[in-house]
Amino acid sequence: MKKVYAFETKCLGCGLCEVYCRTAHSKFKDVVKAHNRDNVISAIVIENIFRQSKPISYFVLQCRHCLSPRCVKACISGAMHKDEQGIVHNDKKRCVGCLSCVSVCPFGAIKKSRDCKTISKCDLCVGYGEPLCVKNCPNDAIKLLDENEVEVALK
Amino acid sequence: MMKYLIIGNSAAGINAADAIRMNDNKGNIKIISREKFRAYGRPLISYYLSGKVSPENMYYRSENYFKSKNIEVLLNVEAENIDLKNKEVATIGGGKIAYDKLLIATGSGPFIPHIKGLDMCKQENVFTFLTYEDAIKLKKKITKKSKVIVAGAGFIGLKAAEGLFGQVGSITVVDLADRVMASILDKQSADIVQTHMEQNNINFKLKTSVCEIYGKNNVSTVALSNNEILDCDILVIAVGVRPNIDIANTINLKTKDGIIVNEYMQTSKRDVYAAGDCVESLDLFSGDSKVFALWSSASNQGEVAGFNMASVEMKAPMVFAVNAISFFGLQLISAGVVNASTSNNIVLDLVKSELCRLNILNDNLVGFVLINCEQRAGIYTALISDRVKLSELDYDITSRDVGFSVYSKDERTKKYWEPCKR
Ligand SMILES: Cc1cc2nc3c(=O)[nH]c(=O)nc-3n(C[C@H](O)[C@H](O)[C@H](O)COP(=O)(O)OP(=O)(O)OC[C@H]3O[C@@H](n4cnc5c(N)ncnc54)[C@H](O)[C@@H]3O)c2cc1C
């Protein structure tokens, strides 16, 4: 299964991935409108790496689509589920925003929505071909890789 | 072909069935349930009561899910006893179901305390709050004028109270403890929750209990142990749960409060497994065996049982409580040890009702309470479950909001790439 991987040394911390993530998950599908008129939050966390309390570099983090996802086990409504391909989805219609998933995600990769009624997590932009964060990263710091490509990247 | 039989159609039972199917695509899998409803999210019953979740969204799995996985579900069927020798389960009404591997996932039922004058069979306005049916009955009975008494300020009692909000005349929660949700909250956190609920018109009578109730077919008043007398149109009893072990007792399984299982979820009898609210689990901190009533641990244990039933060895992790609950918009996550004498780090903003309390023992995080600042709580949970040495982290978790960067670069890289390689 292909997943999004982030490369710490390449990340500029520019935040464009978040902008496009919001766009992908906004009803407007337009960068400016999604930003101005929609209150979706991105499914990406950008983290600072500190050295002596100064941020020295960044990396992005989104759902790892774990093999045995704790979020799915903890979900009290059945909204959180893993599909046949292995992608972990949250069905917003059934999500009650209890944050049980947030309380167990070891990556801290699930965020509550702005209105607190549901959550936001990476769905690999199903329907877009390539995730918009990957497509729009100016420095190739986020890539969509399958297992074999991961092996290569790790070498 | 292997015959798998699961008693109980909820978190533990369904996750077991899924795990069996994942490992055995031919075996015959049957789930029986004494409830008449398709499997639903039990914790959703308060959302149904309030109207926040509609009946069609109560269900844990889609209508055709079980069919698509070739799992047979029999509703309205109650297991009565087990014949170990012939490997059969007898159901009420005279049916018999054969099995090769049996899972007991019967969950828990309400604990009914001894209260003078209480007669659940006769009194039509006394309710428990554990099943969809309980919630449906309660919702039918309430009126805009009902004076509701909820006995028990644990999370089930409080969720019932929240669910009733706006639909009744008054709601009063009574509990013997000095605070709400005493088992999962320290006093300070509990006070924030209580104050927030009081602002939403929920009344509390703490450090006292319902000791007598009056009314033959309908309760009209209740007496508290502090001698107060309260009018009562609806009484909800939510003082706790007890594992359903009647069926286990028919074959003399080893039990304490719940059924005793090993780390493979095997009971003391061959080919009989048990998982979920009906079993004793090992507490991560004390190593003692305890009953936990947690959806996630029921799901996990069900999965582990399913793997082992399908002859794929898997061990269950030790358990500690992680609870994520919201009341009237106040978001609360509590985990692990919250009351013991640990060194606390507390960041508190009373104006915004925000609290972040980290309980640290020696070099380990052992518990936390987060109120309205729950982003990335799962990282704390992982620090607890993996027993991470705090001194080996990249920064002091009490010094700033936690992130994945708390792990050293090596550790972080390993965790980040690892789950994907499997
Ligand atoms: C109002 C409420 C809110 C909750 N909120 C949360 C929450 O936010 N987070 C959380 O982690 N947990 C929560 N819980 C607890 C959670 O629901 C339980 O831990 C979970 O349901 C346990 O799952 P289980 O599969 O072990 O058992 P159960 O869900 O209890 O299911 C067992 C099933 O077995 C059936 N059964 C029993 N005996 C027989 C028999 N002899 N024959 C046939 N069928 C039988 C029962 O009728 C039942 O349907 C809540 C519970 C309640 C009531």
Side-chain angles (χ1 to χ4, degrees):
Chain A
M1 176 199 167
K2 285 201 171 199
K3 273 190 276 198
V4 174
Y5 291 85
F7 292 81
E8 284 189 17
T9 47
K10 288 196 154 186
C11 181
L12 309 171
C14 68
L16 265 180
C17 50
E18 288 208 83
V19 170
Y20 281 95
C21 182
R22 284 207 300 273
T23 308
H25 297 94
S26 153
K27 57 178 182 280
F28 294 114
K29 311 296 171 204
D30 170 90
V31 174
V32 179
K33 281 187 192 151
H35 182 75
N36 290 338
R37 293 206 238 147
D38 212 346
N39 65 353
V40 286
I41 65 164
S42 88
I44 298 177
V45 184
I46 302 184
E47 279 201 31
N48 291 321
I49 298 168
F50 293 86
R51 182 95 353 116
Q52 271 120 31
S53 47
K54 280 201 195 95
I56 51 158
S57 60
Y58 309 88
F59 68 97
V60 304
L61 188 70
Q62 54 267 84
C63 171
R64 306 317 303 144
H65 303 278
C66 300
L67 204 65
S68 178
R70 298 178 201 188
C71 56
V72 173
K73 295 282 156 40
C75 180
I76 59 169
S77 70
M80 201 68 100
H81 62 282
K82 201 170 172 64
D83 71 13
E84 299 290 329
Q85 286 178 64
I87 304 172
V88 177
H89 296 276
N90 179 54
D91 179 354
K92 289 217 163 42
K93 282 200 300 294
R94 297 204 288 151
C95 176
V96 293
C98 69
L99 305 189
S100 293
C101 52
V102 170
S103 76
V104 297
C105 173
F107 295 99
I110 305 175
K111 298 193 207 170
K112 74 171 175 192
S113 67
R114 206 153 273 150
D115 61 6
C116 296
K117 287 195 178 127
T118 177
I119 56 96
S120 169
K121 73 172 288 299
C122 169
D123 57 3
L124 292 174
C125 283
V126 178
Y128 279 93
E130 193 181 23
L132 292 199
C133 57
V134 173
K135 202 167 169 186
N136 292 287
C137 177
N139 204 30
D140 278 343
I142 320 174
K143 290 184 183 159
L144 187 69
L145 306 175
D146 64 22
E147 286 85 351
N148 297 330
E149 291 162 331
V150 167
E151 298 280 336
V152 176
L154 277 179
K155 271 183 196 141
Chain B
M1 194 173 59
M2 205 56 145
K3 291 192 288 287
Y4 303 93
L5 178 59
I6 297 168
I7 308 175
N9 183 30
S10 187
I14 293 169
N15 281 285
D18 280 345
I20 295 171
R21 186 51 82 223
M22 208 191 302
N23 293 294
D24 178 350
N25 55 25
K26 290 209 188 71
N28 175 294
I29 307 174
K30 269 197 186 94
I31 307 180
I32 63 173
S33 169
R34 67 180 172 198
E35 294 194 61
K36 64 179 179 206
F37 300 100
R38 266 163 61 203
Y40 55 89
R42 188 166 308 285
L44 297 186
I45 63 173
S46 67
Y47 296 81
Y48 164 80
L49 183 60
S50 68
K52 281 195 196 116
V53 170
S54 60
E56 67 271 18
N57 284 332
M58 286 295 286
Y59 296 105
Y60 185 52
R61 293 285 151 87
S62 67
E63 184 134 35
N64 56 9
Y65 180 83
F66 295 98
K67 206 176 239 168
S68 75
K69 297 265 170 187
N70 193 16
I71 296 168
E72 192 182 348
V73 181
L74 304 171
L75 300 179
N76 269 318
V77 174
E78 178 162 1
E80 194 173 24
N81 59 57
I82 302 168
D83 178 348
L84 282 176
K85 223 171 93 210
N86 296 312
K87 291 198 150 181
E88 273 176 354
V89 168
T91 59
I92 287 182
K96 282 199 165 71
I97 307 174
Y99 70 85
D100 297 310
K101 306 265 177 179
L102 176 67
L103 176 68
I104 301 178
T106 47
S108 47
F111 172 64
I112 307 293
H114 182 76
I115 299 173
K116 211 169 151 193
L118 175 68
D119 186 349
M120 298 275 303
C121 300
K122 286 222 183 90
Q123 289 154 341
E124 286 170 6
N125 56 349
V126 182
F127 297 86
T128 54
F129 196 62
L130 280 187
T131 66
Y132 195 5
E133 185 155 30
D134 289 341
I136 290 172
K137 281 191 186 151
L138 178 57
K139 200 173 166 95
K140 272 201 191 124
K141 191 82 179 175
I142 51 175
T143 70
K144 277 273 175 203
K145 288 197 185 127
S146 306
K147 295 191 183 78
V148 180
I149 312 268
V150 179
F155 75 77
I156 295 182
L158 295 193
K159 270 292 177 192
E162 186 197 32
L164 289 167
F165 171 79
Q167 308 185 69
V168 295
S170 70
I171 304 169
T172 305
V173 181
V174 182
D175 200 298
L176 202 51
D178 65 344
R179 60 183 185 276
V180 300
M181 292 188 286
S183 62
I184 62 166
L185 290 185
D186 58 283
K187 179 84 171 95
Q188 192 175 30
S189 315
D191 286 347
I192 296 176
V193 175
Q194 183 182 336
T195 306
H196 184 74
M197 293 194 77
E198 281 167 347
Q199 286 163 357
N200 287 282
N201 289 328
I202 310 285
N203 307 303
F204 288 90
K205 306 265 179 203
L206 298 177
K207 294 192 230 174
T208 184
S209 62
V210 175
C211 64
E212 186 165 0
I213 62 184
Y214 307 97
K216 205 166 175 201
N217 298 322
N218 262 297
V219 175
S220 55
T221 40
V222 308
L224 306 185
S225 55
N226 66 2
N227 296 328
E228 254 183 278
I229 305 280
L230 304 174
D231 287 344
C232 173
D233 301 313
I234 303 273
L235 175 63
V236 179
I237 298 187
V239 295
V241 294
R242 286 286 172 276
N244 288 326
I245 57 169
D246 288 354
I247 194 80
N249 287 335
T250 65
I251 49 169
N252 295 317
L253 288 185
K254 260 195 209 146
T255 57
K256 214 173 95 187
D257 289 326
I259 302 166
I260 294 181
V261 289
N262 63 15
E263 56 206 327
Y264 307 103
M265 309 316 290
Q266 288 167 313
T267 67
S268 54
K269 304 278 181 193
R270 219 188 136 88
D271 295 330
V272 182
Y273 297 73
D277 275 14
C278 63
V279 306
E280 297 271 330
S281 311
L282 293 184
D283 181 284
L284 177 79
F285 300 108
S286 62
D288 295 343
S289 98
K290 269 187 10 198
V291 171
F292 288 87
L294 292 170
W295 185 270
S296 62
S297 109
S299 307
N300 282 326
Q301 293 179 340
E303 175 175 66
V304 172
F307 267 81
N308 291 306
M309 289 166 77
S311 305
V312 180
E313 195 177 294
M314 193 188 216
K315 283 187 187 178
M318 287 168 100
V319 179
F320 62 100
V322 182
N323 280 288
I325 323 164
S326 71
F327 296 106
F328 301 107
L330 186 92
Q331 208 93 44
L332 168 83
I333 300 182
S334 136
V337 179
V338 291
N339 288 315
S341 51
T342 48
S343 97
N344 297 317
N345 180 270
I346 302 165
V347 183
L348 179 68
D349 180 340
L350 276 179
V351 182
K352 288 195 241 158
S353 295
E354 279 181 8
L355 174 138
C356 169
R357 177 192 173 104
L358 302 178
N359 290 346
I360 294 166
L361 186 64
N362 304 322
D363 197 16
N364 290 111
L365 181 66
V366 293
F368 64 82
V369 179
L370 306 174
I371 298 178
N372 285 344
C373 56
E374 61 296 310
Q375 298 288 25
R376 320 211 71 191
I379 295 178
Y380 292 130
T381 305
L383 294 177
I384 299 177
S385 61
D386 298 344
R387 298 186 180 224
V388 173
K389 285 205 173 71
L390 298 182
S391 56
E392 286 170 10
L393 293 174
D394 253 20
Y395 54 81
D396 175 0
I397 56 166
T398 64
S399 69
R400 72 165 74 100
D401 289 348
V402 77
F404 198 61
S405 59
V406 74
Y407 295 110
S408 68
K409 172 134 195 180
D410 284 353
E411 199 51 35
R412 189 162 77 224
T413 310
K414 212 171 99 200
K415 285 186 195 300
Y416 184 86
W417 295 86
E418 205 177 49
C420 323
K421 277 168 84 180
R422 278 187 286 148

